[in-house]
Each structure stands twice: as structure tokens, then as C-alpha cells.
Amino acid sequence: MGGGRLPCCDKSKVKRGPWSPSEDIKLVAFIQKHGHPNWRKLPKQAGLLRCGKSCRLRWINYLRPDLKRGNFTPQEEHSIIRLHATFGNKWSKIASHLPGRTDNEIKNVWNTYLKKRSLQRLKMANINTTDDTPNSSSSNISNSDQNIHNEEPANQEISSSHDQQLTPVIEYPKVIEVAAIGPIPVDDIIQKPLAPSASTLSSINSTQEYKAGSNCYDINPTCYNDKIINNIDIKFPDNLVSYSEDELWNMVVESPRPPINLDHRHHDVNYESQKSGLEKMEAVEYWVRLLEDELGLDHEKDSIANITTGTTSQQINQNHYQTMSNKMDQEETEIWCKISDQISPMWPTFAHSFDLY
DNA sequence: AAAATTTTCAACCGCAGAGAC
DNA sequence: AGTCTCTGCGGTTGAAAATTT
């Protein structure tokens, strides 16, 4: 092909940089309704001034409903270190073993601090074994890699079963209620030890999963924190493209329902808030808070909460949120201490990575 | 308190492979 | 078989946030 590679889009005519909430909503709404049979055509069809690649990336790395959010757990970090030793920089391969995590996210975590930690650990292991093995450091690394490789399937099972045994069972609501935009029926929530890979789920095939005639996109099944959540249906108005930024934002703000992407902590706090019988008004604020977190709009917390509820109960809710958050941190730490105690003897090379928490 | 430095991570870029024609 | 288009992947960038000086 002469003349070099054709650009994927006219860069002078597309918007670049961070995505706005309204762009996110437009993209999610479009994909729910039509799927994404063709990324290149999608921006125009969805009314977005974005490159198709940019849309795809935004969906896969941020907007997919099956994404886990928040910090990586010690177990996940453990897995990344082991998987990286096995696969190298095959981020999508590694991501396929970590449900709800994206290759980009894993790559970032690795490059920011797991790489350093892994190297430190290998160094320590090298120092500790110098007396036993007169080999060079490279041979030590190879040995540990070999161990990791051999242990791979066994460890996978061990960690999964421990996870099942030690993670508190959370009763998720059958239907995630609330919403101005529409209901979110959660038809089925099934525990599954090894969920489908994130990368697999990222490639939603529209012909398979777009429910013809149902006017909504069926993400099925959606894996979430070792749970499978089927049939999350969110209905947006048909003429979404014609809505202004403010209208779209108000549409969401006025809706007292959980955001599209819920991490396990959000689920748990939401559940707790129901259990403790928080008043609906507080629930509204709670939902707004979650959505703000989701869209990174912390700075608007006060104004939006007040607009939405017209009250000052935000402080109460803030305290509740903080309490629940602390509770979850504490519970999570306890769980991982238990797991650490049981797993450490099996992974001598990396056993002490839990110490860093 | 301000400036400098480091860290984080969302987004971009270009290449390679698969599949359609 | 060759060409072209599209998607997915891994490396890289750079703005924002966090930390240090």
C-alpha cells in the first residue's frame, strides 16, 4: 500500500482529551441500544465528536458495567506479579485472569509500583538464598519464575476457594431500584469462582447481545467481583443526541439510583444503607455521591446534593458513608490477613508482599 | 506557603493480525 | 493472492494530583 497508513480519523475534527459526563452518557446510551458493531462509525451515529478508537477505549477501560473499581486487592496484586512472571507484558492475557480489571489498568499498576515491589522481592529472595545457591541472580529469577509457572493453576484454585470461603456473602438487591432514567433489573446474581475474562467481556458482540425489539442493550452475562450480574438494562431516551450537556447531567442527577459502574464497596454500602433503613432523602444523596465518585466530580458534591434534596442532611449521610467505608476497609484488611496467613506458606517467594499493607 | 519533584493513570499512538472483499 | 478495513494490543505521553523540599 503506497502513501503510508491512512489515519483512523481526521484528527482536526475530533475532540481529544478527557471525556465529559455527557459524552459518557451518550456513549453508554448508544451502546446499550445498538451495541458497537463498528467502532469507526459509532461516534457519528452516537453524536460524539470523537475518534472511534477513543470511544472503544473509553468503553473498555472506563464505562463497561462489569468493571471493578477502586484499588487492587492484595490478592489481585499478588496475581499480577505471578502472572507477569509467567506471561511478561501480555497485559490482556493477565487481565483475562483478573475479572473486572482492564489491561490498561493492570499495566499502569505494574509500571507504577508492582514492578518495583516485584524486583525488591526478587532481590530479597536472592539475598536470602545466596547461601544455599551459588548461582547468579538471573538464575534465581528464573527459578522463581519457574515455580510461579508450575504453581499457576494450583494457586488459581487455592486463591479462588479461599476467596469464596472468607469473603462475606453479600445479599445484593434483586432489582437495583430507583432512577429517573429507568429501572435496572438485575435478573440474576450468581456466585461463580472463575468469572469470564474482562477482555472477553469487553468485546461485546452486538449481534449476539443486542436484544432485538427490547430497545435496550443487554450486557450478558456481566461479571462483577466474582459475581455474574445478568441483564443490566438501562433505558435512556431515544433522542439522547439532542440533549444538552446540562440536560443530560440533570437527567442523571435527578435520578436516585446507583451508577452504572458499581464496585464492591458501593454495592456493600448500598446494601448496608438499605439494611439500616436510611431515609429515601439520604439515599438520594447517597446515589448522587456515588455518581460523583464515578464521574470524578467530587468538587460538585455540595451543590448537587443541596440542589437534589434541598436539605442539610448531607452531613449525616457523609458520616454514614465514612463509617461504612471505614468498616469495609477494616473488614477487607481482616479478610486479607486471614488469606495471607493461609496462603503465605504456599508462595514463599512473594509471601511478604502482604506486609506492605 | 510556595515551588519543585514525583507519582498516577486516562488517553493517545502506531503496529500487527484477522477477516472481508 | 493481494489489498483494505477494523479491532485489539502494548508502549508512551502528559496533565493532574500528591508528595517532598
Side-chain angles (χ1 to χ4, degrees):
Chain A
M1 182 165 63
R5 184 186 180 80
L6 289 170
C8 68
C9 54
D10 184 349
K11 295 196 179 358
S12 66
K13 289 180 183 170
V14 296
K15 192 183 166 207
R16 301 172 72 184
W19 281 63
S20 70
S22 70
E23 285 180 307
D24 282 346
I25 291 169
K26 282 179 183 175
L27 181 58
V28 170
F30 183 87
I31 292 176
Q32 279 174 356
K33 196 171 176 188
H34 305 289
H36 45 74
N38 187 319
W39 284 112
R40 188 176 283 229
K41 291 176 188 165
L42 187 147
K44 195 176 180 182
Q45 293 167 342
L48 289 161
L49 290 172
R50 290 277 179 176
C51 167
K53 265 185 158 183
S54 179
C55 293
R56 178 184 162 270
L57 225 43
R58 184 64 180 171
W59 173 255
I60 287 173
N61 288 336
Y62 202 81
L63 297 174
R64 274 189 299 148
D66 57 302
L67 287 178
K68 260 187 213 175
R69 312 304 291 279
N71 294 338
F72 278 67
T73 64
Q75 186 204 28
E76 284 176 317
E77 292 179 355
H78 226 95
S79 297
I80 292 169
I81 292 170
R82 288 187 300 112
L83 290 164
H84 186 272
T86 307
F87 300 122
N89 292 1
K90 299 291 174 193
W91 306 116
S92 60
K93 186 93 176 167
I94 294 170
S96 71
H97 288 75
L98 293 162
R101 299 296 190 182
T102 69
D103 50 0
N104 205 38
E105 204 177 7
I106 291 167
K107 181 171 58 185
N108 282 335
V109 167
W110 175 262
N111 286 331
T112 51
Y113 68 98
L114 282 185
K115 180 159 67 178
K116 286 179 206 161
R117 188 190 297 178
S118 181
L119 284 172
Q120 278 177 351
R121 208 149 297 292
L122 287 171
K123 270 186 189 173
M124 290 299 292
N126 188 27
I127 291 165
N128 292 339
T129 57
T130 304
D131 294 342
D132 304 331
T133 56
N135 295 337
S136 67
S137 62
S138 62
S139 71
N140 277 319
I141 291 168
S142 305
N143 286 341
S144 62
D145 282 357
Q146 191 58 49
N147 290 338
I148 290 158
H149 187 80
N150 291 340
E151 286 175 15
E152 180 63 24
N155 282 344
Q156 202 71 32
E157 277 186 25
I158 289 163
S159 53
S160 297
S161 65
H162 278 283
D163 198 25
Q164 274 191 303
Q165 286 168 15
L166 297 170
T167 304
V169 176
I170 298 148
E171 293 174 40
Y172 296 98
K174 197 72 176 169
V175 173
I176 301 173
E177 190 55 52
V178 284
I181 306 170
I184 310 177
V186 179
D187 289 341
D188 199 4
I189 298 167
I190 307 159
Q191 272 207 316
K192 192 181 176 189
L194 284 173
S197 73
S199 60
T200 307
L201 288 163
S202 75
S203 312
I204 292 172
N205 180 320
S206 65
T207 55
Q208 281 181 329
E209 297 177 358
Y210 174 60
K211 284 201 284 190
S214 68
N215 201 31
C216 64
Y217 192 67
D218 184 12
I219 297 148
N220 179 33
T222 294
C223 160
Y224 178 75
N225 196 29
D226 292 343
K227 307 272 191 299
I228 299 296
I229 302 173
N230 285 328
N231 302 331
I232 297 179
D233 297 344
I234 305 169
K235 293 183 178 63
F236 288 93
D238 286 340
N239 55 339
L240 202 63
V241 171
S242 64
Y243 280 70
S244 72
E245 179 109 2
D246 284 347
E247 287 168 333
L248 285 167
W249 183 235
N250 288 336
M251 199 190 301
V252 175
V253 167
E254 286 163 8
S255 163
R257 83 174 191 191
I260 297 154
N261 295 318
L262 295 163
D263 74 21
H264 65 291
R265 189 157 304 184
H266 292 167
H267 270 304
D268 297 348
V269 178
N270 189 41
Y271 172 64
E272 287 297 332
S273 75
Q274 290 189 351
K275 230 171 56 170
S276 62
L278 277 182
E279 299 202 357
K280 195 178 176 183
M281 202 158 54
E282 282 186 63
V284 171
E285 287 183 17
Y286 172 77
W287 147 233
V288 171
R289 184 179 299 279
L290 293 186
L291 185 69
E292 286 163 359
D293 285 350
E294 206 60 43
L295 296 173
L297 296 169
D298 284 355
H299 58 288
E300 294 187 22
K301 266 178 187 149
D302 291 356
S303 59
I304 290 172
N306 288 334
I307 288 165
T308 311
T309 67
T311 72
T312 56
S313 63
Q314 183 195 4
Q315 192 60 47
I316 300 164
N317 199 39
Q318 193 170 345
N319 293 339
H320 177 77
Y321 181 87
Q322 193 57 52
T323 305
M324 292 314 304
S325 191
N326 291 342
K327 190 182 164 197
M328 282 306 301
D329 283 338
Q330 198 181 334
E331 284 175 359
E332 199 170 89
T333 304
E334 285 169 9
I335 289 163
W336 287 111
C337 283
K338 286 181 192 172
I339 291 173
S340 174
D341 289 345
Q342 296 185 42
I343 289 180
S344 289
M346 303 173 195
W347 291 332
T349 311
F350 301 113
H352 299 290
S353 65
F354 289 107
D355 299 343
L356 298 171
Y357 286 84

